């Protein structure tokens, strides 16, 4: 506001929408983004609103902006990354050391034959190695493809095959609640069905691995002679393809570029989280979801210390998070609502650590109720540190809605749209609405939006631009009050959120239908006081099946564990004779969810078999 000569926040917010070029020029300067060649203008929108090219003519490699602190004598010796493992061991890298490691890893990848533009899978627990890997891939011009550490074989294959990845950097395993999670077994099986993968780089714990030219030790790659000069990239060049799920079909590969995602995250880190050099930023997140890259960028682009943790938040007990804050002097702490609910349930133990260093708290990933929002502020913020609610999505990089520390914050709400994003709540015709629930929408292209889905423009357009032509419709329901406060009201489509992670019903249903005992399946997300949402599935047995309901439920659980990973195991399985369908045989998941949770079923004019609803009601009665 001072740089732009503006006197209040609302004026700044309006300025960011009305004068976007001047606003983003100021953000680039304020956040110290390092450009190798200056951009010609803010945006080239000649291809239409869905396909803007940000900062045309400009060249940058975003990693240079995160590692510029290594060239500052005062900052070079400060911790850039502190990684605490579940067993209590700690690794540290200063900014100078991180810069050297990233440059070395990039050079090592080049020596293996990985080229600019190649897609490289990343399946690692959070920590020093994952940070170096992600940044090293971008440094040498590659495109990182993050994979969730809890994925099963099919989920890994679908993502890496979709983008024809040429290399994979993976961990052989990690400890979770004292038990070894063997990811090597999953990866080895996946590789037998991924012929495009030419090189595998293993981070290992001393296991016997037959290393050769195509199977390589992570330490060997990281030990290469540093490549001091990163690849010069166009602002529109991708550095990440990260998959998110829709309600139908395969996962969607959202594409993020050097000149969009990092600048949006640097902006949000400054504007919403108030992060400054020398702060200590901790937000435990898996590198396989967008939060992993977001958290890393929030800290390092602003010169803060990134604190990583790779274990369970309740190991060895629920005091782990508060003691983590105490050990490392954390100033900014983020948590998913699921974790906050777990901490609150175990308050006496969870609050044993000294959290007095905390200056700001963050919650994101799913909706949070006011009670737990306030509990988080009181227990981890002393009752007077702000809690910043933050919502966006894999497709938009950072925030669509959030809060700023200079305005009042309503519990569980958002006190602002994110500056630079023309966010609105609209009705079915695209008209703005206030004081009632509507679709969360964005009226103009915005920094951070995905460039498209990987090699699938039509699906991208169908997902966000065709519902109301000319407007990005995000798929969330929201409400904006007269006083300018915003609230999220849940998903408007069938996407399921499990502990903050988005999942498409089709991903679950396709796996269930692999079982010969199942003829049809429907998956829905249902509100859960601990997880936020739990997965409930309805299955119709095949005619040949003689299995009991209990036997079928057990088989389903084991099969989902194998194919997608234990985090996606259904909480409840209901065996029914039929599922409600439209006349065109589409399963009506929204109707199933409404009836199952006791809400109005809505328009049933297209329902072909109304008796199916009686089975859903019966299932709800016994659940």
């Amino acid at each position: 506001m001072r740089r732009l000569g503006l006197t209040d926040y609302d004026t700044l917010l309006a300025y960011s929408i009305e004068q976007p070029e001047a606003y983003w020029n100021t953000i680039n300067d304020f956040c110290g983004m390092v450009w190798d060649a200056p951009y010609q203008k803010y945006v080239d929108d000649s291809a239409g609103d869905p396909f803007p090219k940000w900062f045309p003519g400009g060249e940058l490699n975003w990693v240079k902006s995160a590692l510029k602190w290594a060239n500052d004598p005062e900052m070079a010796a400060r911790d850039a990354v502190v990684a605490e493992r579940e067993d209590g061991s700690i690794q540290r890298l200063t900014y100078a050391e991180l810069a050297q490691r990233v440059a070395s890893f990039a050079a090592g990848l080049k020596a293996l034959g990985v080229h600019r533009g190649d897609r490289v899978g990343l399946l690692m627990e959070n920590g020093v190695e994952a940070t170096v890997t992600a940044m090293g891939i971008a440094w040498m011009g590659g495109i990182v493809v993050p994979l969730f550490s809890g994925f099963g074989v099919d989920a890994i294959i679908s993502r890496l095959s979709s983008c024809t990845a040429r290399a994979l950097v993976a961990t052989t395993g990690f400890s979770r609640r004292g038990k070894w999670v063997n990811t090597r077994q999953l990866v080895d099986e996946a590789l037998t069905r991924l012929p495009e993968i030419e090189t595998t780089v293993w981070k290992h714990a001393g296991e016997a691995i037959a290393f050769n030219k195509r199977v390589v030790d992570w330490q060997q790659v990281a030990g290469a002679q540093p490549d001091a000069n990163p690849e010069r990239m166009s602002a529109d060049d991708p550095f990440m393809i990260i998959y998110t799920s829709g309600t139908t079909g395969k996962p969607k590969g959202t594409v993020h570029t050097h000149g969009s995602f990092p600048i949006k995250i640097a902006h949000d880190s400054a504007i919403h989280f108030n992060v400054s050099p020398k702060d200590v930023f901790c937000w435990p997140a898996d590198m396989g979801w967008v939060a992993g890259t977001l958290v890393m960028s929030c800290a390092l682009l602003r010169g803060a210390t990134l604190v990583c943790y790779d274990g369970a938040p309740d190991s060895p007990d629920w005091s782990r998070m508060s003691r983590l804050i105490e050990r490392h002097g954390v100033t900014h702490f983020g948590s998913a609502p699921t974790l906050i609910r777990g901490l609150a349930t175990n308050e006496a133990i969870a609050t044993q650590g000294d959290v007095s260093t905390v200056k700001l708290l963050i919650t994101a990933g799913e909706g949070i109720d006011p009670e737990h929002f306030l509990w988080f502020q009181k227990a981890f913020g002393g009752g007077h540190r702000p809690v910043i609610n933050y919502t966006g999505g894999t497709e938009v990089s950072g925030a669509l809605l959030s809060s700023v520390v200079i305005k009042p914050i309503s519990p569980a709400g958002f006190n602002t749209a994110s500056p630079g994003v023309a966010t609105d709540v609209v009705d079915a015709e695209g008209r703005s609405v206030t004081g009632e629930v509507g679709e969360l929408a964005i009226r103009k292209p915005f920094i951070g939006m995905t460039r498209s889905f990987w090699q699938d423009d039509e699906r991208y357009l169908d997902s966000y631009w065709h519902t109301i032509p000319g407007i990005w419709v995000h798929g969330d329901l929201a409400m904006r009050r007269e006083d300018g406060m915003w609230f999220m009201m849940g998903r408007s489509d069938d996407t399921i959120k499990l502990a903050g992670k988005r999942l498409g019903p089709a991903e679950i249903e396709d796996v269930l239908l692999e079982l010969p005992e199942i003829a049809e399946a429907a998956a829905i997300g249902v509100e859960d006081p601990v997880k936020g949402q739990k997965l409930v599935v309805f299955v119709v047995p095949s005619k040949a099946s003689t299995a009991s309901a209990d036997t079928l439920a057990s088989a389903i659980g084991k099969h989902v564990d194998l194919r997608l990973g234990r985090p996606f195991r259904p909480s409840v399985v209901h065996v029914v004779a039929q599922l409600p369908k439209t006349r065109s045989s589409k399963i009506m998941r929204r109707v199933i969810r409404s009836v199952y949770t006791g809400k109005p079923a809505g328009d049933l004019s297209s329902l072909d078999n109304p008796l199916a609803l009686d089975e859903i009601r019966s299932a709800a009665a016994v659940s």
Side-chain angles (χ1 to χ4, degrees):
M1 286 162 54
R2 285 195 296 267
R3 289 193 182 205
L4 290 169
L6 304 176
T7 57
D8 62 80
Y9 177 78
D10 289 339
T11 303
L12 174 72
L13 184 63
Y15 184 94
S16 73
I17 303 301
E18 296 162 4
Q19 303 288 334
E21 183 149 15
Y23 180 76
W24 287 102
N25 287 344
T26 303
I27 290 297
N28 265 288
D29 179 60
F30 181 86
C31 293
M33 302 304 294
V34 179
W35 290 83
D36 295 314
Y39 51 88
Q40 298 164 357
K41 56 181 179 178
Y42 154 68
V43 66
D44 174 1
D45 57 3
S46 58
D49 283 357
F51 300 104
K53 291 187 177 180
W54 305 109
F55 309 109
E59 293 183 356
L60 81 164
N61 188 309
W62 79 266
V63 181
K64 285 184 71 174
S65 297
L67 297 181
K68 67 178 183 289
W69 310 103
N71 302 318
D72 181 336
E74 186 180 350
M75 291 289 293
R78 289 189 61 84
D79 283 338
V81 184
V82 177
E84 180 170 313
R85 299 202 180 283
E86 192 178 77
D87 64 9
S89 61
I90 296 172
Q91 289 178 279
R92 299 177 183 272
L93 286 183
T94 66
Y95 269 100
E97 291 168 338
L98 177 61
Q100 184 272 326
R101 289 278 196 97
V102 168
S104 291
F105 195 82
L109 286 178
K110 284 186 177 181
L112 294 175
V114 180
H115 301 112
R116 176 185 176 128
D118 283 348
R119 277 74 65 199
V120 182
L122 169 61
L123 199 163
M124 302 175 79
E125 70 276 25
N126 212 343
V128 165
E129 294 89 350
T131 303
V132 169
T133 300
M135 298 177 77
I137 292 168
W139 185 267
M140 53 76 58
I143 303 172
V144 65
V145 185
L147 301 166
F148 173 44
S149 59
F151 275 152
V153 173
D154 285 4
I156 295 170
I157 293 169
S158 67
R159 286 152 176 81
L160 294 181
S161 61
S162 171
C163 65
T164 56
R166 291 191 59 223
L168 171 63
V169 185
T171 181
T172 56
F174 53 91
S175 179
R176 185 57 51 94
R177 293 188 177 90
K179 296 182 179 180
W180 186 249
V181 178
N182 186 353
T183 55
R184 180 184 176 185
Q185 182 178 350
L186 293 172
V187 172
D188 280 343
E189 183 179 344
L191 289 172
T192 65
R193 295 158 57 188
L194 290 166
E196 300 90 354
I197 299 289
E198 299 175 0
T199 304
T200 307
V201 179
W202 285 108
K203 170 191 169 287
H204 62 95
E207 300 97 328
I209 300 174
F211 292 119
N212 54 53
K213 289 183 178 180
R214 294 304 182 191
V215 181
V216 188
D217 187 342
W218 190 92
Q219 293 294 345
Q220 175 189 329
V221 180
Q225 185 67 26
D227 184 353
N229 297 310
E231 194 77 12
R232 285 175 66 134
M233 309 301 290
S234 161
D236 199 48
D237 282 335
F239 81 92
M240 178 169 66
I241 301 170
I242 186 161
Y243 284 84
T244 186
S245 298
T247 57
T248 59
K250 296 180 179 179
K252 304 173 293 190
T254 61
V255 179
H256 290 296
T257 64
H258 283 262
S260 183
F261 181 103
I263 293 172
K264 168 62 173 169
I265 301 307
H267 166 275
D268 287 5
S269 187
I271 297 289
H272 297 302
F273 303 153
N274 203 28
V275 179
S276 300
K278 303 181 183 179
D279 282 333
V280 181
F281 194 95
C282 179
W283 182 352
D286 194 287
M287 286 300 292
W289 304 112
V290 72
T293 308
L294 183 153
V295 169
M296 177 181 71
S297 303
C298 274
L300 300 180
L301 285 168
R302 298 293 298 146
T305 296
L306 171 66
V307 175
C308 304
Y309 175 61
D310 72 350
D314 58 350
S315 181
D317 58 44
W318 278 102
S319 70
R320 187 64 185 251
M321 292 294 96
S322 62
R323 296 193 188 281
L324 187 77
I325 292 170
E326 179 181 357
R327 262 191 298 279
H328 304 296
V330 171
T331 60
H332 293 64
F333 181 67
S335 174
T338 300
L339 175 55
I340 294 171
R341 288 188 285 270
L343 294 167
T345 302
N346 299 274
E347 180 173 358
I349 300 173
T351 56
Q352 287 179 355
D354 180 0
V355 296
S356 61
T357 57
V358 169
K359 297 193 292 188
L360 180 141
L361 297 163
I362 305 162
T363 182
E366 57 186 318
I368 186 170
D369 58 274
E371 291 78 12
H372 284 102
F373 184 99
L374 289 170
W375 179 90
F376 192 39
Q377 183 181 44
K378 179 181 178 181
F380 278 73
H384 59 277
R385 300 303 189 192
V387 179
I388 303 298
N389 208 354
Y390 187 80
T391 188
T394 305
E395 313 91 324
V396 299
S397 304
L400 300 179
L401 302 174
S402 190
S403 291
V404 291
V405 299
I406 59 174
K407 292 187 68 179
I409 298 172
S410 287
F414 310 84
N415 66 19
T416 182
S418 189
V421 185
T423 312
D424 200 357
V425 179
V426 302
D427 63 15
E429 285 72 45
R431 296 180 295 245
S432 297
V433 295
T434 302
E436 61 183 87
V437 175
E439 291 277 357
L440 185 67
I442 303 95
R443 293 195 172 276
K444 297 179 181 179
F446 54 98
I447 297 286
M449 60 186 278
T450 178
R451 195 177 74 171
S452 183
F453 297 155
W454 181 254
Q455 298 181 339
D456 198 349
D457 288 349
E458 193 54 41
R459 191 177 180 202
Y460 160 66
L461 292 170
D462 285 343
S463 295
Y464 300 109
W465 294 96
H466 285 170
T467 304
I468 304 174
I471 299 177
W472 174 296
V473 177
H474 196 56
D476 282 319
L477 297 175
M479 182 181 70
R480 178 178 48 200
R481 290 193 320 212
E482 294 286 352
D483 63 1
M485 205 67 62
W486 304 67
F487 295 88
M488 297 298 293
M489 309 302 290
R491 293 294 297 173
S492 61
D493 57 19
D494 291 327
T495 302
I496 301 165
K497 272 196 173 183
L498 298 180
K501 300 172 179 65
R502 293 179 62 186
L503 185 72
E507 283 196 89
I508 290 289
E509 293 162 5
D510 287 349
V511 168
L512 297 181
L513 293 172
E514 292 174 358
L515 294 170
E517 298 87 355
I518 295 176
E520 295 178 342
I524 63 171
V526 175
E527 298 270 346
D528 182 86
V530 175
K531 296 181 179 180
Q533 273 196 333
K534 64 182 178 182
L535 178 63
V536 177
V537 298
F538 297 81
V539 297
V540 178
S542 64
K543 291 182 179 179
S545 175
T546 58
S548 68
D550 288 344
T551 300
L552 198 54
S554 177
I556 286 170
K558 291 177 182 177
H559 189 63
V560 171
D561 280 359
L562 175 64
R563 288 308 187 188
L564 292 177
R566 190 173 182 83
F568 304 111
R569 176 187 278 223
S571 295
V572 183
V573 175
H574 292 292
V575 179
V576 295
Q578 59 179 327
L579 295 170
K581 296 179 184 178
T582 65
R583 294 180 179 89
S584 58
S585 295
K586 290 184 179 179
I587 295 172
M588 302 180 75
R589 296 183 189 86
R590 193 171 304 180
V591 171
I592 293 173
R593 185 171 59 241
S594 296
V595 171
Y596 187 76
T597 56
K599 297 176 181 177
D603 181 13
L604 298 178
S605 59
S606 61
L607 178 63
D608 191 45
N609 54 338
L611 290 178
L613 298 185
D614 293 336
E615 291 212 55
I616 305 301
R617 294 186 183 98
S618 296
V622 300
S623 65

